[in-house]
Amino acid sequence: MSDDVVSRLEAAWYCHKRIEGNLRKIKQLRSLAQSMTPHYSQVPGSGGSKSTMENAVADIVELENDIAEKSRQLRDDFKEAEAIIDSVPDYKQRTVLCYRYLYFYRWEEIASDLHYSWAQVHRFRKNALEYLRQKDDME
């Protein structure tokens, strides 16, 4: 069960990371497409950069479609993660889970922002996950 709770909470984080990666790739492709200059030739239809430009544009469109799909999935994952987190009665544990799984903070950032030690943050997470495991086992 513990892996199931964690994987459901982490689903939004992983989806978000994939979207970030796709956005970086789009930025690279756009930069590449903008830096391309046409090479003119005496022979009609032999412009070398046209197919490269078309490929870059096609890749951008494909990634944008993937981002739109992943964004829908991210919204669904967020809703599920929020529902899971909202079921935790302890507000400190809930806050730590929100920072990690909904706001994508690193553990060190959570500790610093909430003024807890790194160990306290992990203890709150551990206790929250234990609560969720027990709750899930009862259902």
Side-chain angles (χ1 to χ4, degrees), residues 107-124:
W107 295 114
E108 297 79 12
E109 292 174 312
I110 297 169
S112 174
D113 203 51
L114 298 178
H115 306 288
Y116 295 129
S117 71
W118 188 85
Q120 282 176 301
V121 166
H122 282 281
R123 196 169 21 261
F124 288 141

Side-chain angles (χ1 to χ4, degrees), residues 21-67:
N22 284 343
L23 289 172
R24 276 194 299 275
K25 184 70 174 171
I26 285 175
K27 187 176 179 181
Q28 292 168 346
L29 288 169
R30 283 196 173 131
S31 177
L32 176 67
Q34 290 171 351
S35 69
M36 290 180 198
T37 57
H39 296 100
Y40 299 104
S41 169
Q42 298 275 330
V43 181
S46 66
S49 68
K50 184 176 180 185
S51 64
T52 306
M53 177 76 79
E54 288 172 351
N55 290 341
V57 170
D59 288 346
I60 290 170
V61 169
E62 184 179 333
L63 284 170
E64 286 174 339
N65 289 336
D66 189 55
I67 288 171

Side-chain angles (χ1 to χ4, degrees), residues 58-100:
D59 288 346
I60 290 170
V61 169
E62 184 179 333
L63 284 170
E64 286 174 339
N65 289 336
D66 189 55
I67 288 171
E69 180 184 327
K70 298 256 184 316
S71 293
R72 286 187 290 278
Q73 180 63 46
L74 180 60
R75 186 181 57 241
D76 294 343
D77 291 344
F78 261 43
K79 286 179 184 177
E80 182 176 12
E82 282 179 319
I84 291 169
I85 291 168
D86 286 344
S87 73
V88 175
D90 184 277
Y91 76 92
K92 291 178 184 178
Q93 294 171 4
R94 238 185 1 256
T95 303
V96 167
L97 294 180
C98 282
Y99 269 66
R100 179 62 179 178

